[in-house]
Amino acid sequence: MLKTVGGIVRRFRFGAVVREAGSGAAWAEKARRLEAQGYDVLLVPDHLVGLRFAPIAALTAAACATTRLRVGTLVFANDFRHPAVLAKEAATLDLLSGGRLEVGIGTGWMARDYEGAGLALEPPGVRVERLREAVAVLKGLWAEGPFSFQGKHYRIGGLDQRPKPVRRPRPPIALGGGGPRMLRLAAEEADIVNLGMRVRPDGSGPDDRDGGPAAFLRKLEIVREAAGERYDALELGTSVVQVGERKAEEAWSAADSSSLGGTPQVLLGTRADIIDKLRYWRDEHDISYFVVHHERDLDAFAPVVEELAT
């Protein structure tokens, strides 16, 4: 179902976060099932701890097992890899998938990742500044010809990487977050903005004081103000962490959904209730991309996808 805003068609899109499987065959079957159910994108996170596949290998396998399904990350942790390396890997994956890659990228935030790997978790401002430079490097290396860059964190000297991505001018870039700095960066530089909860500076988890509809609407205001003339071209999305009826939080998750009532991140009720809520958030607030965060909810959400993903 489509909505036109400022000449831009906002169609519903639906993503699914999938973290692991017991075998290559089981992973391929998960990807094919999502494709058959009408989901648009299979997404994997990027953490060094926990039972989660590494993104590049997992996305390559999912792309090879499907024909229509897009593949992407929610999100690459910028601190784990140099953007020149990521640009090369991503361009290769985009080519091998026939242009089906979506590159979600964030600063990196989970303290346990950094502690376990012996990495320094620097203050949020430093990480956001470094991410801004990384996005510029990715865009530059995916463009035609050699690229040079002189920043505080990265320096690129006339590098002309091959292959270039199939998707032109480049794969869509998704940036997400809940804090003002990340939201402004996303509004200024991303193609897709995923609105989430603000993360505590120490990386211990989301800031539970950041929940509720008022905080969510304020994030939308920040994005709109920072985007300016870019706003109508942005795709706005969020992660759905509860579907149908409220369930206990997953043991591996640092999130607490109890503070998210009244936002599109919690969709309780019948299928008709959920469809009405999604239409409201799309039609009134321009949120059109919804990512189901837990595998346990994918089958229950599939009838919603079938009705709205047209």
Side-chain angles (χ1 to χ4, degrees):
M1 187 169 295
L2 304 179
K3 179 197 177 190
T4 301
V5 178
I8 303 298
V9 174
R10 294 194 187 276
R11 60 173 292 268
F12 281 114
R13 284 208 311 144
F14 298 100
V17 176
V18 187
R19 293 167 177 82
E20 52 85 27
S23 66
W27 179 255
E29 179 55 32
K30 286 186 178 185
R32 286 191 288 264
R33 184 176 180 82
L34 289 177
E35 185 171 62
Q37 290 177 328
Y39 284 92
D40 295 278
V41 192
L42 180 153
L43 300 158
V44 298
D46 187 17
H47 291 289
L48 302 179
V49 299
L51 189 56
R52 302 172 174 95
F53 279 176
I56 294 293
L59 296 179
T60 303
C64 289
T66 55
T67 58
R68 176 195 61 82
L69 190 70
R70 292 185 179 183
V71 295
T73 45
L74 195 66
V75 291
F76 281 120
N78 182 56
D79 282 356
F80 297 169
R81 52 184 66 77
H82 193 285
V85 177
L86 179 58
K88 179 83 169 183
E89 295 280 1
T92 302
L93 177 50
D94 191 63
L95 186 151
L96 294 176
S97 67
R100 287 186 282 146
L101 178 64
E102 297 183 3
V103 179
I105 186 167
T107 62
W109 68 271
M110 188 182 289
R112 289 187 297 136
D113 286 331
Y114 289 80
E115 292 164 358
L119 298 172
L121 179 62
E122 296 185 278
V126 174
R127 284 180 277 137
V128 173
E129 178 185 68
R130 183 159 52 227
L131 177 60
R132 183 180 289 276
E133 289 191 10
V135 171
V137 171
L138 291 174
K139 290 180 178 180
L141 289 174
W142 288 334
E144 292 299 329
F147 174 70
S148 296
F149 182 86
Q150 293 293 319
K152 182 177 179 181
H153 301 279
Y154 303 111
R155 292 170 177 78
I156 308 295
L159 183 59
D160 188 4
Q161 289 187 331
R162 302 285 171 172
K164 298 297 182 183
V166 171
R167 189 86 170 267
R168 305 310 292 164
R170 52 177 168 73
I173 293 175
L175 292 170
R181 278 179 294 208
M182 273 301 303
L183 292 172
R184 292 187 186 105
L185 174 59
E188 293 164 4
E189 299 294 342
D191 304 293
I192 303 165
V193 180
N194 184 282
L195 293 104
M197 291 186 71
R198 189 171 187 166
V199 176
R200 300 188 192 104
D202 65 1
S204 58
D207 188 341
D208 297 334
R209 298 170 298 176
D210 188 46
F216 193 87
L217 291 173
R218 176 56 187 150
K219 293 167 190 175
L220 282 170
E221 290 176 7
I222 291 171
V223 170
R224 186 176 289 107
E225 291 167 1
E229 294 181 356
R230 298 188 73 240
Y231 178 78
D232 285 343
L234 294 177
E235 182 177 42
L236 304 183
T238 194
S239 295
V240 178
V241 297
Q242 292 281 352
V243 173
E245 58 185 34
R246 189 172 290 280
K247 308 171 190 69
E249 307 296 350
E250 297 278 12
W252 49 262
S253 176
D256 178 2
S257 65
S258 62
S259 65
L260 301 178
T263 77
Q265 295 174 285
V266 172
L267 299 174
L268 305 182
T270 66
R271 179 177 70 172
D273 293 333
I274 293 172
I275 288 171
D276 286 345
K277 290 173 186 176
L278 294 181
R279 285 176 173 153
Y280 165 79
W281 283 100
R282 195 272 308 268
D283 295 346
E284 297 298 323
H285 299 292
D286 300 331
I287 307 289
S288 59
Y289 179 31
F290 296 89
V291 176
V292 180
H293 196 65
H294 299 301
E295 284 191 57
R296 67 188 182 188
D297 291 325
L298 291 176
D299 288 342
F301 198 74
V304 176
V305 174
E306 181 180 8
E307 181 160 342
L308 294 179
T310 59

